[in-house]
Amino acid sequence: MITLNSPLDMHLHLRDDDMLKIVAPLSSQDFAGAVVMPNLVPPVATIEDVKAYRDRIEKAIGNDDFEPFMTLFFKKEYDYNFLKEAKKYIKSIKLYPAGITTNSEGGVSQIDTDELKETLNAMSELQIPLCIHGESNGFVMDREKEFIPVYETLAKAFPNLKIIMEHITTKDSVDALKKYDNLYATITLHHLLITLDDVAGGLLQPHLFCKPIAKRPEDREALLNIALSGDKKVMFGSDSAPHPKSSKEAPGCAAGVFTAPIILPKLVELFDSHRKLDNLQAFISDNAREIYNLIPLKKDITLKKEEWEVPSDYDGVVPMFAGEKLEWRVI
Ligand code: NCD
Ligand code: ZN
């Protein structure tokens, strides 16, 4: 048995409407809170949007003790007064380079320090963390590496702004993270487990296709080392990104791995197999509390070693490890 105190998922897609109703309970039963991504269509970009989305999430999770940490979709038009009011309702702001991933068309086309400085200075002053999807529009395997200079420029120009490198997938990102006090990162479960080989080395696996794409074995090794060590600069963010089976098993497969139902069992198995279970609490909650300066709802989640089979789908949404047996289960 192992008990985790207030597990947090610091990067989660809950979607909307029917999909929200299917996926939200799968996170709210296992976690005390999650950073909810704003890439709806249209994106969550006003205070009214945030409040209305939060209400819909709360309806979808029913009675579970679970706090949705709301985010806004970054716009350079956000000024100090707007952000001061918004801060009452959000935990961070997510910046997407325009068109780089699902529903990011309204993102920033040019990340120019000068153009963004009013908003980023206001965020620094108000202590609102900036989450970034850090990919260029270059060759798919190099996109994250090509974005590192942008992180470095921002980290230097706004030293009091906490910048979170979302879902890092490369050794280069791990190295960059260590160089700047104000850079932090989320790491997903799937990027700790798979490489590009698992996605496309044999028959194509659409349910493992996501952005950023899984990289090389040495990249996965670097992610594993820093996550397993409990390093305070990294925290768990699943990037669980559900799409209907019809959009995944199709030409033009949508990007996103749906991990919500299997996260804690697989993380316990992974940390246990490396004899690092003692560091899981830091990765799954304590580091996030410090980075985001938050006190989560008190919620103990216990797992025991008992085999169970992952369903083939949840109302037409296929999870990672569908149909496979897992060693640990949440009780
Ligand atoms: C995410 C989605 O589907 O919203 N997809 C993904 O592959 N991770 C968007 C994102 O976080 O990039
Ligand atoms: Zn995401």
Side-chain angles (χ1 to χ4, degrees):
M1 300 254 268
I2 170 166
T3 297
L4 300 169
N5 311 126
S6 305
L8 299 172
D9 182 346
M10 303 309 280
H11 182 135
L12 177 65
H13 297 272
L14 285 178
R15 311 299 194 208
D16 214 343
D17 304 316
D18 290 346
M19 182 66 95
L20 171 65
K21 292 187 189 112
I22 299 168
V23 301
L26 297 166
S27 289
S28 64
Q29 65 201 22
D30 287 1
F31 288 86
V35 173
V36 180
M37 289 296 135
N39 62 333
L40 303 183
V41 190
V44 180
T46 67
I47 294 170
E48 286 64 42
D49 291 344
V50 168
K51 287 192 205 163
Y53 189 30
R54 190 188 162 114
D55 285 348
R56 297 197 295 279
I57 294 168
E58 279 174 353
K59 269 209 190 86
I61 62 181
N63 292 327
D64 283 342
D65 282 334
F66 176 84
E67 187 178 356
F69 303 134
M70 304 307 291
T71 62
L72 272 169
F73 191 99
F74 183 94
K75 300 267 182 204
K76 61 173 194 268
E77 290 75 27
Y78 296 156
D79 63 13
Y80 183 87
N81 288 334
F82 169 81
L83 291 169
K84 189 164 180 232
E85 181 61 17
K87 190 185 149 102
K88 298 177 190 158
Y89 306 98
I90 60 165
K91 281 283 187 295
S92 68
I93 298 184
K94 175 75 183 283
L95 187 154
Y96 292 90
I100 206 65
T101 189
T102 313
N103 304 337
S104 63
E105 290 69 24
V108 179
S109 36
Q110 191 73 41
I111 301 181
D112 180 282
T113 317
D114 241 21
E115 256 188 62
L116 306 185
K117 76 167 181 261
E118 195 190 331
T119 310
L120 296 182
N121 279 329
M123 287 175 65
S124 304
E125 208 169 309
L126 293 162
Q127 295 190 16
I128 303 173
L130 175 70
C131 302
I132 304 187
H133 183 119
E135 288 195 284
S136 73
N137 55 8
F139 179 65
V140 68
M141 287 293 278
D142 296 335
R143 286 177 188 174
E144 190 170 300
K145 186 185 171 75
E146 288 174 358
F147 197 87
I148 289 176
V150 181
Y151 280 126
E152 299 196 321
T153 305
L154 292 174
K156 280 188 254 181
F158 305 97
N160 298 320
L161 178 67
K162 284 187 171 176
I163 300 172
I164 297 156
M165 304 165 73
E166 293 296 334
H167 43 51
I168 57 170
T169 62
T170 64
K171 179 174 183 309
D172 296 306
S173 289
V174 173
D175 295 340
L177 174 68
K178 291 178 178 162
K179 283 204 274 180
Y180 298 88
D181 284 349
N182 57 333
L183 287 184
Y184 302 89
T186 55
I187 300 180
T188 73
L189 168 68
H190 49 283
H191 291 120
L192 292 173
L193 296 178
I194 64 169
T195 68
L196 184 60
D197 243 12
D198 298 286
V199 186
L203 292 179
L204 188 66
Q205 301 300 319
H207 297 291
L208 299 182
F209 172 62
C210 65
K211 302 215 170 146
I213 193 97
K215 305 290 188 315
R216 307 180 63 84
E218 52 271 35
D219 294 311
R220 190 188 61 161
E221 203 58 35
L223 298 176
L224 259 178
N225 283 338
I226 193 161
L228 292 169
S229 74
D231 192 297
K232 285 178 172 303
K233 297 199 87 180
V234 298
M235 57 194 154
F236 176 68
S238 71
D239 197 16
S240 177
H243 293 276
K245 188 173 175 177
S246 55
S247 312
K248 294 291 289 175
E249 298 181 7
C253 163
V257 184
F258 176 46
T259 49
I262 53 91
I263 290 166
L264 295 182
K266 282 310 268 189
L267 276 178
V268 168
E269 183 187 322
L270 180 68
F271 276 65
D272 189 34
S273 70
H274 289 271
R275 303 192 178 284
K276 293 286 184 202
L277 264 184
D278 287 350
N279 291 340
L280 181 53
Q281 180 61 36
F283 184 59
I284 198 70
S285 185
D286 298 357
N287 295 347
R289 299 180 202 197
E290 278 186 39
I291 296 168
Y292 270 81
N293 199 13
L294 60 83
I295 300 168
L297 294 173
K298 216 178 141 19
K299 181 171 178 179
D300 287 344
I301 298 288
T302 300
L303 292 99
K304 91 177 206 211
K305 216 165 191 178
E306 183 182 281
E307 203 177 79
W308 64 289
E309 190 176 308
V310 181
S312 59
D313 70 278
Y314 291 84
D315 284 319
V317 193
V318 179
M320 193 179 189
F321 299 108
E324 291 184 39
K325 294 207 166 61
L326 302 193
E327 283 177 29
W328 289 84
R329 88 181 295 158
V330 177
I331 54 167

